[in-house]
Amino acid sequence: MKLSISVILLLSSFVIQAQDKFQMGVLSESDKKFSVYEKDTTASAVFLYEFGDNYFEVRNNYIWLITKYHAKIKILNKKGFTYTNVEIPLYTSNSNKEKLVTIKAITHNGQVKKGVKREEFFEEEINGRWSQIKFTFPDVQEGSIVEYEYEMQSPFFYNFSGWNFQADIPKIYSEFNAKIPGNWIYNRSLVGSLNLDLNEANVKKYCFAIPGGTNEASCEVLKYVMKDIPAFDSSEAFMLSSRNYRSKLEFELSEYKRFDGTTDKYTKTWEDVDREFKSDRDIGSQLRKKNFFEKQVAEELLHSGDELTRAKNIFDFVKNYYTWNEENGIWNDNRVKTAFEEKKGNAAEINITLINLLNAAEIKTNMMLAATRNKGLPKKTHPVMNDFNYILAKVDIGGKSYLLDATDKYMPFGMLPFRCLNYYGRVMDFDNESYWYDILPESSNAIMIRAQMTLDPFNKKLSGIFDFINTGYKKVSQDEILETTKEEEYLEKLEEEISDDFHIISHEKNLKYSDDKKITERFNFEIENLFQGDNIYLNPFVIKFFEKNPFVSAERNYPIDFGYPMKYQYILNMKIPEGYKLKSLPEGKDFTLPNSGGLLKLSVIDNESGTLNLFFTFDLNSAHYSNEYYSGIKQLFNEAVNGQNQSLIVLEKI
């Protein structure tokens, strides 16, 4: 069979380009020439190529997990220089550690290459378990291509964790390979919204054996490829941990079948976990300290009042007694007695104290394992204990359940800090079986402003009163601001945020209309420079809820998560002064999301009595929205921002 010259040249070109991609130090002409990535013109850098290979190998009579990695990155502008600083993590146990067998790194500037010298690779200790190899590519310019490859040797088979396809910058090509002997069984899952371009799994027989052994294991040979992978935009507002959405492959060691016939199981059932927790020194045994705590607190704290009263009093005692050290502490050496004596502890120690005291008061309370919002959602398919990083208390009183966290001095009974609003957790009921339990946020969260304004044409100023009412999570935030800021500083900052012409005359917290989930403030104020010639020009929104739209991307491939439902309301009553008549009013707005998901309403009414009434309502009726709602929510915020910024009341002199 004869091939034409053109076909031969085409095949040769393909082979050369394929070799260029895989070969360290060799670049294709197309990689060298382009200066802007057409599929994402905002990208500061782009992965031209990324390759990983993972397999098991016997070296010096020891089984190692070998990881090979190779990447080429094009630096498109100065913002991309951040990707020329590389950190490679290495894990260490009490008796063994991961190490890099080889590493190379090169900067390409046209035909000029400059490598990183051996002494320019630094190892830095992070903590007792982790270190990292660090280096920086030399002579980086706009248009440089940087590439590096390394081989890692690991004795920790459970550290074969997977592959991150998606990053903060786009990738043109990313390939993950693995060869896994049948002795090792891993759970695996594909996370994220992107699909694989290649998904191959084959069996290779007799591919792995240990020296002196009589059996050879078959291997599963895996190859996964994604092409043209968009950057993951982690700057978009209102998102849970990006770990939930970045496209990646996750591997988790389930069991290891030894060559002698024994098996080590790593993936356990919840029944196994329940049994282990009961006897665990750092958690289980710490939950059985109620006799100690009974002796440390006043008797009336545990026995005065009904169950709900006692629970609230104990909760208030613990959150005011302790200072949280900003650590979660779930897998630490927790010592609740020491923490109690020092009046300071991590979240686990504080909430274990709370659980002990509530049980000492004969109020049924269990520990709940949870994950904070920045940790990611725990898997429900099987126990993965590293998915959890927080401990809460679940209290059952009179047929109603309450979730409690005593680390935040401003948090009311029955509300969790924002960081804990992460869908669900696992309740460890040691008398029965553990179970999943949903985390439901406080439903009534609002900022409401009710204003009355009077125009004084003679003195050319506006005076008024507005009540500032915060409920739910908005109240908690406002409490902290008022408690930690001097009143003078608080009022000055508020004046600066509103306008140079806005002046607060007096301020008071109206305790009569406040409670544990609501706080009301009253302000007397004046506004100057509203008069221009014979006319009065007034934006009725003295305080704006939104200065700009937080949603700017054209589209979104992951859910919108506000943490809790929200309501914003602005009501204004203003009398038209004598000698003036209404010239123009803001346009009304009426916009709703599908399925009663939210709404925006703006209306201004000119009453016959000579007064104006403005009503503005902005509701987000859910804490979580699928990405299908994105365009609607983006438009909802856009309408709200425009309504506040562009509304204008004009009065002209008669």
Side-chain angles (χ1 to χ4, degrees):
M1 177 180 178
K2 293 185 179 180
L3 294 175
S4 69
I5 301 245
S6 60
V7 172
I8 293 172
L9 290 174
L10 179 62
L11 291 173
S12 300
S13 173
F14 177 80
V15 171
I16 291 170
Q17 287 187 15
Q19 290 175 341
D20 287 347
K21 282 185 177 296
F22 284 90
Q23 190 173 346
M24 180 73 180
V26 179
L27 304 177
S28 69
E29 288 302 314
S30 60
D31 290 342
K32 295 176 185 177
K33 289 179 179 178
F34 83 86
S35 57
V36 175
Y37 183 49
E38 291 183 357
K39 294 184 178 179
D40 182 359
T41 57
T42 66
S44 60
V46 58
F47 276 87
L48 302 173
Y49 164 77
E50 185 182 39
F51 175 86
D53 194 11
N54 298 264
Y55 55 92
F56 294 77
E57 187 174 286
V58 177
R59 296 178 177 179
N60 298 322
N61 293 316
Y62 196 90
I63 302 173
W64 299 92
L65 171 61
I66 308 300
T67 297
K68 290 185 175 181
Y69 181 83
H70 182 196
K72 297 180 180 180
I73 304 172
K74 178 95 172 190
I75 307 302
L76 300 175
N77 57 48
K78 290 182 179 178
K79 288 184 179 179
F81 287 5
T82 183
Y83 300 101
T84 65
N85 300 309
V86 178
E87 298 172 350
I88 304 168
L90 301 171
Y91 184 73
T92 302
S93 70
N94 293 332
S95 58
N96 220 328
K97 67 177 295 184
E98 295 176 331
K99 66 177 181 180
L100 292 189
V101 179
T102 61
I103 184 168
K104 297 178 183 177
I106 301 171
T107 301
H108 299 265
N109 288 311
Q111 301 301 317
V112 179
K113 304 178 187 178
K114 186 166 185 179
V116 178
K117 299 176 182 177
R118 180 183 295 273
E119 62 270 19
E120 293 173 333
F121 294 101
F122 302 96
E123 183 166 6
E124 175 184 82
E125 184 175 345
I126 301 173
N127 54 45
R129 291 297 183 197
W130 290 94
S131 63
Q132 61 185 7
I133 300 296
K134 298 176 64 176
F135 67 91
T136 300
F137 286 97
D139 296 342
V140 176
Q141 307 166 17
E142 292 184 354
S144 294
I145 294 175
V146 297
E147 72 168 323
Y148 66 105
E149 67 175 9
Y150 63 81
E151 179 181 311
M152 181 192 297
Q153 182 174 282
S154 174
F156 309 116
F157 308 134
Y158 49 80
N159 275 7
F160 175 52
S161 56
W163 183 257
N164 294 314
F165 282 107
Q166 201 167 25
D168 293 334
I169 56 175
K171 297 180 181 180
I172 295 176
Y173 184 91
S174 182
E175 177 181 323
F176 173 79
N177 296 270
K179 187 167 64 176
I180 307 172
N183 307 72
W184 288 271
I185 298 175
Y186 291 86
N187 297 318
R188 67 198 67 172
S189 57
L190 179 64
V191 178
S193 61
L194 303 179
N195 296 319
L196 291 164
D197 288 290
L198 182 64
N199 180 355
E200 289 184 353
N202 299 299
V203 175
K204 182 179 181 181
K205 292 187 176 182
Y206 314 117
C207 79
F208 185 81
I210 58 174
T214 57
N215 298 323
E216 287 188 82
S218 297
C219 294
E220 186 178 21
V221 182
L222 306 173
K223 185 173 184 177
Y224 302 105
V225 174
M226 277 192 188
K227 301 176 183 178
D228 299 324
I229 307 166
F232 185 87
D233 185 4
S234 56
S235 66
E236 190 74 68
F238 302 110
M239 179 177 66
L240 284 179
S241 171
S242 62
R243 298 179 187 183
N244 297 314
Y245 313 119
R246 286 178 187 262
S247 289
K248 61 185 174 181
L249 275 169
E250 289 186 341
F251 283 75
E252 180 194 9
L253 182 60
S254 174
E255 60 182 79
Y256 170 46
K257 297 178 180 179
R258 297 177 180 273
F259 285 90
D260 62 8
T262 60
T263 299
D264 294 333
K265 289 193 174 182
Y266 292 87
T267 299
K268 302 176 182 179
T269 65
W270 277 110
E271 289 78 7
D272 296 329
V273 174
D274 293 350
R275 284 194 299 271
E276 291 179 6
F277 260 100
K278 289 179 183 179
S279 59
D280 180 76
R281 179 172 176 265
D282 296 322
I283 296 179
S285 63
Q286 301 299 307
L287 290 165
R288 293 187 290 274
K289 304 288 186 184
K290 70 177 187 177
N291 292 334
F292 166 78
F293 286 107
E294 280 180 317
K295 300 173 184 177
Q296 307 302 317
V297 300
E299 185 177 346
E300 57 266 25
L301 180 67
L302 302 179
H303 303 293
S304 295
D306 59 20
E307 279 195 335
L308 186 57
T309 299
R310 298 201 306 275
K312 288 183 176 181
N313 289 339
I314 290 169
F315 176 73
D316 287 340
F317 168 79
V318 174
K319 76 176 182 179
N320 291 314
Y321 179 86
Y322 276 104
T323 298
W324 181 39
N325 64 10
E326 306 289 330
E327 295 178 2
N328 297 338
I330 182 170
W331 307 121
N332 290 3
D333 296 330
N334 295 306
R335 298 295 174 263
V336 292
K337 288 184 179 180
T338 302
F340 189 84
E341 291 167 359
E342 296 178 352
K343 296 186 177 183
K344 184 176 183 178
N346 58 45
E349 290 165 336
I350 292 171
N351 288 329
I352 287 173
T353 299
L354 176 64
I355 294 168
N356 275 299
L357 282 172
L358 289 166
N359 282 318
E362 299 181 353
I363 301 170
K364 179 174 174 54
T365 308
N366 289 314
M367 175 186 72
M368 184 164 125
L369 296 176
T372 53
R373 291 171 64 86
N374 62 358
K375 175 69 173 174
L377 290 168
K379 294 179 184 65
K380 282 192 172 183
T381 54
H382 58 277
V384 181
M385 302 318 294
N386 284 337
D387 283 356
F388 301 96
N389 68 338
Y390 212 84
I391 286 176
L392 300 169
K394 178 179 178 288
V395 187
D396 298 308
I397 301 173
K400 186 175 180 180
S401 296
Y402 303 87
L403 297 180
L404 304 178
D405 176 12
T407 61
D408 191 329
K409 298 184 186 301
Y410 304 101
M411 199 60 57
F413 183 89
M415 286 177 60
L416 295 178
F418 182 77
R419 62 179 174 273
C420 297
L421 301 181
N422 201 28
Y423 286 74
Y424 52 82
R426 187 82 180 184
V427 178
M428 309 305 291
D429 186 344
F430 293 152
D431 294 330
N432 300 289
E433 295 180 350
S434 63
Y435 57 92
W436 293 106
Y437 189 79
D438 288 341
I439 296 173
L440 300 177
E442 169 67 29
S443 59
S444 179
N445 309 282
I447 298 177
M448 294 176 281
I449 297 173
R450 296 170 183 167
Q452 294 182 351
M453 298 182 187
T454 302
L455 284 159
D456 181 358
F458 181 76
N459 293 305
K460 293 192 174 182
K461 66 180 181 181
L462 177 151
S463 60
I465 296 171
F466 73 83
D467 291 328
F468 188 36
I469 305 161
N470 287 273
T471 65
Y473 282 98
K474 300 301 183 183
K475 186 264 184 184
V476 172
S477 300
Q478 191 65 10
D479 265 350
E480 185 170 3
I481 291 171
L482 292 172
E483 287 291 328
T484 58
T485 311
K486 292 180 180 179
E487 184 176 35
E488 184 179 348
E489 294 175 1
Y490 169 63
L491 298 179
E492 284 180 359
K493 184 177 180 182
L494 189 58
E495 287 178 336
E496 290 173 2
E497 290 176 351
I498 295 173
S499 166
D500 292 338
D501 299 319
F502 182 87
H503 307 289
I504 296 173
I505 308 303
S506 65
H507 166 246
E508 63 176 321
K509 284 195 292 184
N510 196 334
L511 300 179
K512 180 180 178 182
Y513 299 103
S514 300
D515 55 39
D516 63 337
K517 293 184 180 179
K518 174 180 166 183
I519 184 170
T520 302
E521 300 169 74
R522 171 160 286 189
F523 297 82
N524 283 275
F525 66 94
E526 291 182 350
I527 302 178
E528 299 176 328
N529 298 323
L530 298 174
F531 291 76
Q532 297 182 25
D534 290 333
N535 292 343
I536 301 172
Y537 295 86
L538 171 66
N539 183 329
F541 288 93
V542 176
I543 295 178
K544 296 180 177 64
F545 298 123
F546 316 108
E547 291 293 338
K548 59 182 181 179
N549 191 339
F551 299 103
V552 295
S553 297
E555 59 183 24
R556 181 160 169 154
N557 297 316
Y558 44 88
I560 305 102
D561 191 288
F562 295 100
Y564 48 83
M566 297 184 292
K567 182 182 184 73
Y568 299 86
Q569 188 180 77
Y570 189 96
I571 299 175
L572 168 65
N573 177 275
M574 187 182 74
K575 186 172 179 62
I576 299 175
E578 291 185 9
Y580 283 82
K581 67 176 182 178
L582 186 65
K583 184 175 182 180
S584 65
L585 286 176
E587 290 185 6
K589 292 181 179 291
D590 191 344
F591 184 85
T592 59
L593 292 176
N595 303 314
S596 302
L599 63 86
L600 167 69
K601 289 186 181 295
L602 170 61
S603 63
V604 185
I605 301 171
D606 177 15
N607 298 302
E608 293 180 0
S609 60
T611 59
L612 291 178
N613 294 107
L614 180 144
F615 300 92
F616 173 90
T617 298
F618 180 95
D619 293 351
L620 291 166
N621 296 325
S622 178
H624 324 293
Y625 295 86
S626 70
N627 61 309
E628 295 173 352
Y629 277 82
Y630 179 68
S631 61
I633 288 177
K634 182 179 178 181
Q635 186 178 350
L636 185 73
F637 272 87
N638 200 51
E639 294 287 342
V641 170
N642 291 339
Q644 292 176 109
N645 291 336
Q646 298 175 11
S647 290
L648 192 65
I649 296 173
V650 181
L651 303 175
E652 64 179 354
K653 197 169 184 178
I654 299 173

